[in-house]
Amino acid sequence: MRLLHLTVENFGVFRGIHQFDLSPSRTNGRAQNVVLVQGHNGAGKSTLFQAMALALHGSFVLGDRVSAQHYSDFLLSRLHRRPRGSHTVVSLNGHIALSFQYIRSGRPLRIQVDRHWERQGNRVSETLGVFQDGEPVAVNPADYQTWLNDLIPPGLSPLCFFDAERLDGLASPKRHDELLQESLRRLLGLDLVRRLQTDLMRHTFNQGSSKKAERLRREILQYQAAVDALEAQLTHLQEHAAALESQRLDLEAVLVRQERQLAAEGGAYAARRPMLQARYDEVQEEIEAVENHLREQSSGLLPFALAPGLCHQLSQRLNQEAEARRRQLAEDLWQARIGDVEAALHAADLWQTLNISDQDRQVLLARISQILQMTAAGDAESQHLLIHHLSEPDQDRVQSWIAQVLQSVPQQARAFGERLRALRAERERIEKDLQRAPDEATLAPIHVEITRLEQELLDLQQRQTRLDEQIAKVQFQHDEQSRRRERIADELSKAQALERHVALAERSRVVLRVYEDALARHRLGALEEALAKSFNTVCRKEHLLETVRINPDNFGIELRGTEGRTLMLSEFSAGERQLYALALLWALRQVSGRRLPLVIDTPLARLDAIHRQRLIHDYIPVVSDQVMLFVTDAELDTDLLAQLGPRVARTYGLNYDSQRGETMATCENQPKSRGLILYRGEAPSAGPIEINEVFGTGLGQTWTTDPDYAGAWGKVRQALLPPTARRLVLVDPETREYNWEQIEELERMTSSPFLVQTIRAGRTLEEVWQEEWTALLKEAGYDSIATVSIDGPEEYVLNPFKLIPVNGTTPNGKNQGDGV
């Protein structure tokens, strides 16, 4: 684990946003693993110390069992308070963000923990956010703290955050054993074990007992003994059954091999002979039946199917004769009516209204009569077509026979023929199989062996059957005894529902006690060796400690020097006791087996000059890859600071302003800068450039750090953005890479929970920017926003009055003499 960055806002003595770079660095090949935070008492060192632990573990910083009200009261007390006239103003919200690197399965992960607080009357609500590589962790937000605790258990907190109070306690002969026990128990998780033991003891004490419960418990034990005996018998029988099953499988395998050999020698045909003979008889009977069907068809309509053309002709002739008969009937009817027609034609009434002469009428009547007679004569010619004088029913019957001859009779004959051929082929195959007779001399031994195996297998199966019956009997007895035991258990539960829980709790207490003792003894051995080595490293008296012994029962410690002389902690000087406490912390960290940062508050206050130098030279460089020291100016004088200097990555100074009621933090050894030169082009006709497409309109001005780009617009003006200006660098102008820390800060301030995720997915800042964000950032105290467009690096200045003119004109367009 490596701490990277800390942000505090409206927390303790810190008002507004304060950011601290905690990451170690390397210069000229030398590791700089120390971050110093210097300030007078009350300047906010302990506040920052507490903020880091609070970011990781929340309410667990106050203890394992803290009520929500107690935690809310604590947060309310930590919100920034500042004087205003005669009263004090409490901030409405606060914020702590801690980012750190964590190696999991060889992969470095960047974890960021954000805790936001909002005051609601006399209570404070907390919102926790946990991000992994810029994205929310894949758990329910309600489980964020559990996820953090699994990653960094709260028991490790004292090994990471070591304050003066704990240092004094471990150095005190009176409190040493107590704090050592507490630290080791929390480190190993034994505090949870002890708490569980206490809860179990309280649960056991609150429950009672009764004679009925004791009697029922004895009955349960008796039934349990019977069940155990039956289970043992059942296990034996089942093992015997398994052996018989294995034997049966072996016999069946041998039998299969013998049957295969018999089949290879022709025995299969011999075994199949009765079935073949029966099938042969069935086939022969079916062949005779099919032949009879064919004979019946041959004596019926089947011969006519051999002349389908004649059948078609006959059918057509019969149809023609039927038509001729219908026409003859029509002719007869016509002849019967023709006289009536002619009489009607000669009637005078028919011609009264027609203007036709008598001569023309007679000619017309003669022609009509001739036509009528010709029609009758033509119809009479069809009488010579009749050959088959059949009645209509007989003709329908003949037509039905012809249809059968042309359709169903050939299909039936064909089906019977195919079936007859198949049956005759099967009969031929069966005859050949029946003719294949195996050698009896070869098959006889195989038959004997198969018979023997079948008999042995039958005997084995009978034994299995008897054994299965016995198993079923014992199983029934077992189930019956189990049911009686369960019934008694139910009665016991009704008599005293929690009696069994008490017994389980008592046994659990014993197991937990054994586990606690075993784990403590194992780790104490490693701690004893590490403590002696660590103390001798930092103490000016070389090899002062020969051995260390820690009592696992009460964690009392026994120190022995050279020649076995017993050393008492009370005999140590105050500085040596402080070194001893730091050495004990070092040893505990080694026993933990984890690479953890060390944040330590005022460790040098009680050490003399020699021990301070040993601490600086022998302790700080090796105790951790990352050390944060919170010290006062009196603790770390100029000489010690010079000695520690090569190890220092950066130094923060905390200065408290009592009038404003807040602390300002400055990074004292950060390289000084005269500021950032900005350029702005002014076209002669269009006036100053206003490039506000990205960050909205109405606020600020867009400048650039590229003079060539600014010169393309005409006259170039220059301005200096001083190093005191507060910049939000969203895109690094040199590498043109996104600054994810600053984008995360933008995400937090604008309450846009998916901003980082959206940009990582490929959207650009220009696409997602919302105009109201610009005003929001200005209200938050930012003076400029640094980004890069397609044209080059841009600095969007939110507060133009921060700029210092360079070439005769102020950023506002006024002359220098006009003032800014």
Side-chain angles (χ1 to χ4, degrees), residues 692-760:
N692 293 324
E693 293 84 0
V694 177
F695 300 111
T697 59
L699 286 172
Q701 300 171 348
T702 301
W703 293 69
T704 179
T705 57
D706 184 357
D708 295 334
Y709 170 57
W713 294 87
K715 180 181 178 181
V716 178
R717 292 187 294 152
Q718 300 181 40
L720 178 69
L721 185 66
T724 56
R726 190 176 177 197
R727 302 172 67 215
L728 184 67
V729 183
L730 300 178
V731 181
D732 191 317
E734 296 181 1
T735 65
R736 301 202 175 191
E737 298 289 338
Y738 281 120
N739 186 338
W740 293 110
E741 288 188 5
Q742 295 284 277
I743 294 176
E744 290 173 1
E745 174 67 13
L746 176 64
E747 179 182 81
R748 186 195 66 77
M749 294 191 62
T750 59
S751 301
S752 304
F754 302 108
L755 178 59
V756 173
Q757 183 177 354
T758 301
I759 296 177
R760 286 186 182 275

Side-chain angles (χ1 to χ4, degrees), residues 35 167 292 495 565 637 659 675 724 816:
V35 174
L167 184 66
N292 289 333
R565 185 172 64 89
D637 55 24
Q659 293 183 349
T724 56
Q816 285 188 355

Side-chain angles (χ1 to χ4, degrees), residues 282-298:
E282 293 176 0
V283 170
Q284 187 63 34
E285 291 179 1
E286 191 172 354
I287 288 174
E288 293 175 358
V290 173
E291 289 176 347
N292 289 333
H293 283 298
L294 287 174
R295 291 190 190 97
E296 291 176 359
Q297 285 192 339
S298 298

Side-chain angles (χ1 to χ4, degrees), residues 51 183 215 237 285 335 484 486 488 591 618 625 738 779:
S183 299
R215 176 181 61 79
L237 293 175
E285 291 179 1
Q335 289 295 335
R484 293 179 180 178
E486 295 301 327
I488 297 300
V591 172
D618 300 328
D625 295 336
Y738 281 120
E779 292 176 0

Side-chain angles (χ1 to χ4, degrees), residues 35 79 87 98 153 186 195 235 259 353 358 394 409 413 448 483 564 610 626 665 725:
V35 174
L79 291 178
H87 61 282
L98 178 67
R186 295 191 65 180
R195 189 190 314 156
T235 301
E259 289 176 345
T353 59
D358 291 341
D394 291 339
V409 170
V448 172
R483 282 193 293 271
I610 296 178
Q626 184 180 24

Side-chain angles (χ1 to χ4, degrees), residues 3 22 33 35 37 52 598-601 626-630:
L3 301 176
L22 311 180
N33 64 325
V35 174
V37 180
M52 285 184 282
L598 178 60
V599 183
I600 185 167
D601 188 14
Q626 184 180 24
V627 180
M628 284 193 65
L629 289 179
F630 292 88

